[in-house]
Amino acid sequence: MDKHDLMRAAFGGGRASSQRLAIAAATAAESGAFTADDLAASARAEDPRIGLATVYRSIAAMLASGWLERVGTRDGHALYLRCTAGEHHHHHLVCTSCGRVEETPCPLGDVALERAARAGFVVTRHEVNVYGLCRSCLGGDGPATRTDAEP
Amino acid sequence: MDKHDLMRAAFGGGRASSQRLAIAAATAAESGAFTADDLAASARAEDPRIGLATVYRSIAAMLASGWLERVGTRDGHALYLRCTAGEHHHHHLVCTSCGRVEETPCPLGDVALERAARAGFVVTRHEVNVYGLCRSCLGGDGPATRTDAEP
DNA sequence: GTGTATGCAAACTGTTTGCATGGAC
DNA sequence: GTCCATGCAAACAGTTTGCATACAC
C-alpha cells in the first residue's frame, strides 16, 4: 500500500511523518487486540523515536477515522483493534492469553432488545465483550494464562 | 433491619462502625447504579466523617460479599449496583440519565456461545452492558441527558 | 515559509495503599 | 486490652495536555 493511501486510510489524511507511518503500519500488522503500550512497542521496532503521547494522539485520530475501534479493557489497559469486517455491526471474542480475536455477531436484537423496549427503555449504546481462551492457548503450552473471573 | 444484620448482609460481618453503617444504608437506599462518588455523597449525608478511601474499601468489601456488583463504567467512573435478583445470571439496562436499572437476561448462550465453541474458544468471562434512556427520562422533562455514542 | 505533528515532562483522573490514630468488641 | 477500621495524604497507573521545536508540505 502506498504511504499516502495508508495515511488516508488510517488517519483520514494529514502529514505522513515517519512516526505516523510506523504506527499505522504496526496497526496493520497486528492480528488481534492490543493496548497502547503494545502499539508503542511495535511501532518503535520500526522507528524508535516515538513518544507515548504520539501513540495516544495517533490512536485518537485512528479511532476518529474508523480505522481502529475500542474493544473493552484488560487489566485496566484499554484494548484496541483494527477491525476489518467492514460496516456490519458485531462484537469480538478476545483471547486473554494471546490477544487473538474472533468476530461474533451481536447477541442483542432478539430477546434483549425486545425486553428493553417492553420496559420503555431506548438503547443508545451497548458493550459486549467476551473473553476467554482460544484453541491454541488451550492446547498445552501456549502463553501463560491470565486469571479472570465472572461467569 | 437490625444493624448487625445489615453489617452481615453488606459486609459479611465485621465491626459496625458508623461509617460502614452509613455506607451500607446508602447502598440499600439506592434504586439504581451509582459511582463511588455518588455513594460517598449519599453516605456523608448521614455521617459527614467519611473519607473516600473508606468508601472504596467498603465497596471492595461489599463486592467481595456479593452485596454489590460492578455494572460497567460511565465517563471513566466505575458503576456499582446493589443487585436484588439473587443467584440467577443476568445483566442490566442502565439509564444514562437517571441511573435507573432494569434487569435483562443474559443474551449469550444461544448464538454467541455456539459460535465461540465452534471456533475452539472457551469463554471465561463476559461483559454485557446496555445503556439507554428509561421511559421517564424520555418523557419530556427528566434529568439532563448525557451524550454517549456507539450503536 | 507555514502550520501540523512531535517529544518531553508535567498535569490530570480515578483508585489504591502506608501509617499512625481511634473506636468496637 | 486487642485489633479492625478509619482519615489523611502520598502513591500509583493510564491517559491527556502545554509548550517549544522540527519537519512535511
Side-chain angles (χ1 to χ4, degrees):
Chain A
M1 189 187 274
D2 171 86
K3 74 176 185 180
H4 289 96
D5 290 341
L6 182 58
M7 284 302 299
R8 204 170 321 116
F11 293 93
R15 298 189 175 175
S17 68
S18 67
Q19 292 92 334
R20 268 157 106 109
L21 286 171
I23 289 168
T27 62
E30 278 288 355
S31 64
F34 50 89
T35 66
D37 279 320
D38 294 338
L39 181 55
S42 310
R44 283 175 180 143
E46 190 164 333
D47 179 343
R49 296 191 46 74
I50 298 184
L52 244 193
T54 298
V55 173
Y56 278 106
R57 280 187 276 233
S58 297
I59 286 173
M62 292 186 290
L63 288 172
S65 78
W67 177 256
L68 292 188
E69 59 183 302
R70 276 196 60 154
V71 288
T73 60
R74 180 176 63 205
D75 306 328
H77 300 56
L79 280 178
Y80 304 97
L81 180 67
R82 185 172 79 87
C83 185
T84 55
E87 286 303 308
H88 84 276
H89 178 63
H90 62 278
H91 300 278
H92 299 98
L93 309 168
V94 181
C95 178
T96 54
S97 179
C98 69
R100 187 181 319 239
V101 172
E102 301 272 351
E103 269 186 49
T104 191
C106 179
L108 270 65
D110 25 357
V111 188
L113 290 184
E114 259 172 51
R115 171 157 188 131
R118 217 177 318 131
F121 202 100
V122 173
V123 173
T124 57
R125 180 168 70 100
H126 65 275
E127 304 164 352
V128 176
N129 297 308
V130 183
Y131 303 97
L133 296 169
C134 70
R135 198 193 317 261
S136 54
C137 289
L138 283 167
D141 41 27
T145 62
R146 297 192 185 80
T147 54
D148 268 327
E150 180 179 337
Chain B
M1 189 187 276
D2 172 86
K3 73 177 186 179
H4 289 97
D5 290 341
L6 182 57
M7 285 301 299
R8 204 169 321 114
F11 294 93
R15 298 189 176 174
S17 67
S18 67
Q19 293 93 332
R20 267 156 106 111
L21 286 171
I23 289 168
T27 62
E30 278 288 356
S31 64
F34 50 88
T35 66
D37 279 319
D38 294 339
L39 181 55
S42 311
R44 282 175 181 143
E46 190 164 333
D47 180 343
R49 297 191 45 73
I50 298 185
L52 244 193
T54 298
V55 173
Y56 278 105
R57 279 187 276 233
S58 297
I59 287 173
M62 292 186 289
L63 288 171
S65 78
W67 177 256
L68 292 188
E69 58 182 304
R70 276 196 59 152
V71 289
T73 61
R74 181 176 63 205
D75 306 328
H77 300 56
L79 281 178
Y80 304 96
L81 180 69
R82 184 172 79 87
C83 185
T84 54
E87 287 302 308
H88 84 274
H89 178 63
H90 63 277
H91 300 279
H92 298 97
L93 308 169
V94 180
C95 178
T96 54
S97 179
C98 68
R100 188 181 317 240
V101 171
E102 301 273 350
E103 270 186 49
T104 190
C106 179
L108 269 65
D110 24 356
V111 189
L113 291 184
E114 260 173 49
R115 169 153 190 136
R118 218 178 317 132
F121 201 100
V122 173
V123 174
T124 56
R125 181 169 69 99
H126 66 275
E127 304 164 352
V128 177
N129 296 308
V130 183
Y131 303 98
L133 295 170
C134 70
R135 198 194 316 261
S136 54
C137 289
L138 283 168
D141 41 26
T145 60
R146 297 193 185 79
T147 54
D148 267 325
E150 180 179 338

